[in-house]
Amino acid sequence: MSAVLTGPEVSARFWHRLEGKLDLISPKGCNPLAHLGSLAVVSFLVAIASGIYLFIVLDTSLAGAWSSINGLGAPGRLIRSLHRLAADAFVVLTALHLLRELILGHFQRYRRLAWWSGLALLPLLAVVAIGGFWLNWDQLAQYSAWSSAELLDWLPLGQNAFVRSFAAGTLSDRLFSLLVFIHLGLPLLLLFGLG
């Protein structure tokens, strides 16, 4: 008589089958699905390295943020694209790693601390991504900042100075100093948390 499989067991079998098929076409020990966490860390390190260059050339003022990014030469645009792609890869690989660990049940017993500490780092990842997106300060970033400010105003957090600054048009260079601090300081916390 065959045993009835539960949902998590079916998902785990599917994942193992998928990894098995990739093992057939990838070199021994180089299956990307088995190394999602490592690939995410490598993409994070590439984002940090390319971000150091971008920080050097970025003008962190309200008037100069967009023009300093828009005025990059060919090597600067290449590094900016590398930074953006590495950051996107970090987010996608982190989500896939989280999904893999969840499907395979790698959040129980002795792995519980690693699971919960990884989940605690996800909000930092979101804030870093949004802060970096805003640093460009093009029309899409301004729209995103305005929408986020309206969302914060909708939450019951009391008076929101961020929304009032947008409504009154009184944004200053201190906003960009704060965004640079967020976009540089929180990745250091992420790096510490990954350790």
Side-chain angles (χ1 to χ4, degrees):
M1 183 173 229
S2 64
V4 177
L5 296 176
T6 63
E9 291 168 342
V10 170
S11 299
R13 278 191 177 189
F14 169 77
W15 193 273
H16 285 300
R17 243 184 274 131
L18 182 62
E19 281 187 6
K21 289 183 183 191
L22 275 177
D23 277 335
L24 296 174
I25 60 173
S26 60
K28 184 176 172 104
C30 294
N31 186 338
L33 290 181
H35 301 285
L36 289 170
S38 301
L39 290 171
V41 170
V42 168
S43 63
F44 181 54
L45 294 175
V46 169
I48 287 175
S50 57
I52 290 170
Y53 170 79
L54 292 174
F55 174 67
I56 292 169
V57 300
L58 179 68
D59 179 4
T60 58
S61 67
L62 184 61
W66 183 80
S67 60
S68 69
I69 294 294
N70 194 42
L72 290 173
R77 286 194 302 270
L78 180 67
I79 292 173
R80 180 175 178 239
S81 296
L82 178 66
H83 182 72
R84 175 75 187 267
L85 290 173
D88 290 345
F90 178 54
V91 171
V92 169
L93 290 168
T94 299
L96 288 173
H97 175 66
L98 176 72
L99 179 66
R100 178 184 188 268
E101 299 305 297
L102 181 67
I103 287 173
L104 296 179
H106 293 171
F107 56 89
Q108 301 166 356
R109 296 186 304 270
Y110 63 92
R111 292 180 173 170
R112 186 176 302 148
L113 178 63
W115 172 261
W116 286 109
S117 62
L119 284 180
L121 293 175
L122 287 178
L124 287 177
L125 174 63
V127 171
V128 168
I130 290 171
F133 183 71
W134 289 355
L135 278 175
N136 188 19
W137 207 242
D138 58 359
Q139 286 182 335
L140 189 58
Q142 291 175 26
Y143 175 75
S144 170
W146 177 263
S147 299
S148 299
E150 286 179 341
L151 176 68
L152 288 174
D153 190 40
W154 178 74
L155 295 173
L157 300 173
Q159 295 293 333
N160 195 334
F162 194 46
V163 175
R164 287 194 310 269
S165 295
F166 271 101
T170 58
L171 292 176
S172 69
D173 293 344
R174 288 199 291 164
L175 171 67
F176 286 92
S177 298
L178 175 65
L179 290 177
V180 167
F181 174 76
I182 287 171
H183 199 62
L184 294 176
L186 293 184
L188 293 175
L189 285 175
L190 275 173
L191 195 59
F192 178 75
L194 288 173

